[in-house]
Amino acid sequence: MNYVDYYAALEVERGATAEEIRKAYRRLARRYHPDVSKEADAEERFKAISEANETLSDPEKREAYDQLGRHRTGESVQPSAEWDSRFWQGAPGEDIDLAELLERIGFHGGAPRRGQDFEIATSLSLEDAATGTEVSVEFSVQELGDDGRVQRRPHTARVRVPKGISDGERLRVPGKGGPGLGGGKPGDLYIDIRLARHPRFEVAGHDLYLQVPLAPWEAVLGAEIELPTLDGRLKLTVKPGARGGQKLRLSGKGLPRRGEGAGDLYAVLQIVTPSVISEKEKQLFEELAASSSFDPRAHLTGEPSHV
Amino acid sequence: MSDLPLNPSSPEEAIDLDDLIASTGLVQAEVIELVELGVLETCDGRTGFLFYSRTVVQARRAARLRDDFGLNTPGMALALTYLERIEQLEHRLRVLEASQPR
């Protein structure tokens, strides 16, 4: 079993009072709480902080932890026979991690306890979100063994995700979390949906965005272009005089919604220029420059007019 | 065999007060106060307290904030309101980003 220095995790002295521990936890939670913080490693950090707090804020667990002695994080620790007889709730010599070991202290069997809830993030492709799919999530559940002790068992749940899902949604699968202990009800499973970045489409809610480059002459003269969508290709008419940044809405071509309808696909026009041009093209552009009366910066000349 | 999650906003799959309490760790008085403060939504047109499955996610978040920051009910309501506002702004930002060239 690898030791974790919980006092270091909460940045407190070993002799800290319950009040000091509470304050340290609150201070760190404010920085790393996943509901509040957007720091990249917030989730990991908060897990470590919560684990430390769970033990140090409970007098019985803190006592058991302190009795393990003082070690460095990562150091291998073997509880003494005396420690085992005082605190241990599992099978002798069982190899589990420190958090699990301490979690069992305080569970003395008997009273029914509701199963644990699990919140598992899963990543879907846009295509799978559009059609609906099935995901498999793995977690480890606690249950009572034949000897009446709590043990962990790896568990896989398969969940059918209906079409209509969008990025950031949390789906609740009732009763599919950890089994209840001592006759308690099972916990729930929450699936946290993330849509993987698509090579072509950007997503916002149920709407999709596609950057569509146009040549300057296509923008001026208009064009018939062909675009990819989630379900095949589509012809689109760009009217003469198209502007860069203009959005053309393709109604109902976004992600399907639950039940009826779907979001939209926006073709965002971009006017791009060739980086290498032939002598002939150069000549044509020069002719155009000489004969055009178009002044793109007319509004920037003279005194500004306030509207 | 696979399980189907609850539809987050379907009144047909609504859950009742006891279920909400068991799933979130909030106590009844807190749920009622959060409903009265307008942060937890109940299903429209139903008698008694019935909640959409998406409300469970909100209520769990409220309970987490209560436990981790020692918030009282008005504090939970305030935090949830701010978080919702942040999510709306994030969505608007997402729309703007999505329409920009990569």
Side-chain angles (χ1 to χ4, degrees):
Chain A
M1 179 177 77
N2 285 334
Y3 189 80
V4 183
D5 189 341
Y6 288 154
Y7 290 99
L10 287 185
E11 301 170 9
V12 291
E13 299 292 322
R14 288 187 84 86
T17 62
E19 180 60 19
E20 282 164 349
I21 286 169
R22 198 174 62 85
K23 278 198 177 142
Y25 175 66
R26 293 266 160 82
R27 181 173 54 79
L28 292 166
R30 205 193 57 75
R31 253 178 88 184
Y32 296 109
H33 200 283
D35 285 319
V36 177
S37 172
K38 290 289 170 216
E39 291 196 33
D41 58 346
E43 210 150 315
E44 273 308 295
R45 285 291 309 259
F46 187 68
K47 237 173 119 182
I49 297 160
S50 312
E51 187 184 316
N53 182 60
E54 230 144 80
T55 289
L56 297 189
S57 65
D58 178 324
E60 193 183 354
K61 289 184 188 177
R62 186 178 177 186
E63 163 76 8
Y65 176 76
D66 286 345
Q67 293 298 322
L68 285 172
R70 205 172 175 155
H71 310 273
R72 284 188 320 277
T73 291
E75 196 178 316
S76 179
V77 177
Q78 200 51 55
S80 66
E82 192 220 333
W83 192 94
D84 268 356
S85 68
R86 264 185 78 187
F87 301 109
W88 184 221
Q89 311 272 327
E94 195 185 345
D95 192 32
I96 58 167
D97 72 25
L98 182 65
E100 277 178 59
L101 177 96
L102 290 158
E103 203 176 302
R104 292 180 193 186
I105 292 171
F107 178 69
H108 303 292
R113 199 169 68 161
R114 189 173 176 277
Q116 222 180 326
D117 290 334
F118 287 90
E119 194 166 328
I120 315 272
T122 189
S123 176
L124 297 184
S125 70
L126 262 189
E127 286 82 0
D128 282 348
T131 54
T133 185
E134 198 172 279
V135 294
S136 217
V137 290
E138 283 167 35
F139 45 96
S140 115
V141 298
Q142 289 183 320
E143 61 181 14
L144 288 184
D146 295 335
D147 56 358
R149 298 181 193 280
V150 183
Q151 52 185 233
R152 277 185 182 256
R153 169 174 66 79
H155 176 71
T156 304
R158 294 189 69 76
V159 177
R160 196 146 52 88
V161 179
K163 77 174 167 78
I165 213 78
S166 64
D167 189 52
E169 258 191 81
R170 278 189 186 79
L171 299 174
R172 175 166 178 258
V173 198
K176 296 298 170 186
L181 298 179
K185 283 172 93 172
D188 300 329
L189 174 62
Y190 293 84
I191 310 271
D192 195 351
I193 300 287
R194 302 281 156 79
L195 294 186
R197 196 179 161 93
H198 192 277
R200 279 192 174 138
F201 302 108
E202 288 287 335
V203 196
H206 288 87
D207 293 334
L208 301 180
Y209 290 79
L210 176 68
Q211 296 294 325
V212 179
L214 292 179
W217 47 89
E218 288 177 318
V220 174
L221 304 172
E224 279 282 324
I225 57 174
E226 207 186 70
L227 294 181
T229 69
L230 276 182
D231 56 357
R233 298 183 74 83
L234 197 82
K235 280 216 160 48
L236 177 71
T237 307
V238 179
K239 290 195 184 126
R243 287 169 291 106
Q246 197 178 340
K247 295 190 200 71
L248 303 182
R249 189 163 69 103
L250 297 157
S251 177
K253 291 291 171 190
L255 284 175
R257 296 182 196 280
R258 224 178 277 261
E260 297 289 291
D264 301 324
L265 169 63
Y266 288 93
V268 186
L269 302 182
Q270 262 179 310
I271 294 163
V272 295
T273 55
S275 49
V276 183
I277 53 172
S278 66
E279 265 310 305
K280 167 82 174 166
E281 282 170 310
K282 188 166 179 237
Q283 196 190 325
L284 288 170
F285 273 117
E286 279 165 354
E287 274 177 42
L288 179 62
S291 59
S292 174
S293 60
F294 177 50
D295 180 3
R297 289 172 300 281
H299 64 295
L300 297 182
T301 53
E303 285 301 304
S305 61
H306 297 278
V307 185
Chain B
M1 216 199 73
S2 64
D3 299 294
L4 198 64
L6 281 185
N7 186 336
S9 51
S10 157
E12 275 73 49
E13 297 177 14
I15 68 161
D16 64 19
L17 183 61
D18 287 346
D19 212 359
L20 184 78
I21 287 167
S23 306
T24 58
L26 289 177
V27 300
Q28 183 165 335
E30 288 170 331
V31 174
I32 291 169
E33 202 177 341
L34 288 171
V35 170
E36 284 169 352
L37 289 167
V39 287
L40 291 186
E41 182 192 11
T42 55
C43 298
D44 295 329
R46 302 290 181 108
T47 49
F49 272 162
L50 276 181
F51 302 91
Y52 299 114
S53 131
R54 62 162 185 260
T55 304
V56 180
V57 174
Q58 287 282 84
R60 275 165 61 82
R61 185 183 237 185
R64 265 202 310 267
L65 291 165
R66 175 199 63 191
D67 296 343
D68 293 330
F69 297 104
L71 299 185
N72 59 11
T73 318
M76 288 188 250
L78 182 68
L80 285 185
T81 305
Y82 280 147
L83 287 171
E84 206 170 297
R85 177 125 183 79
I86 290 170
E87 271 157 19
Q88 283 165 0
L89 292 170
E90 279 174 343
H91 179 76
R92 285 178 60 180
L93 187 62
R94 183 79 210 107
V95 170
L96 285 174
E97 280 171 352
S99 57
Q100 294 301 306
R102 285 187 179 183

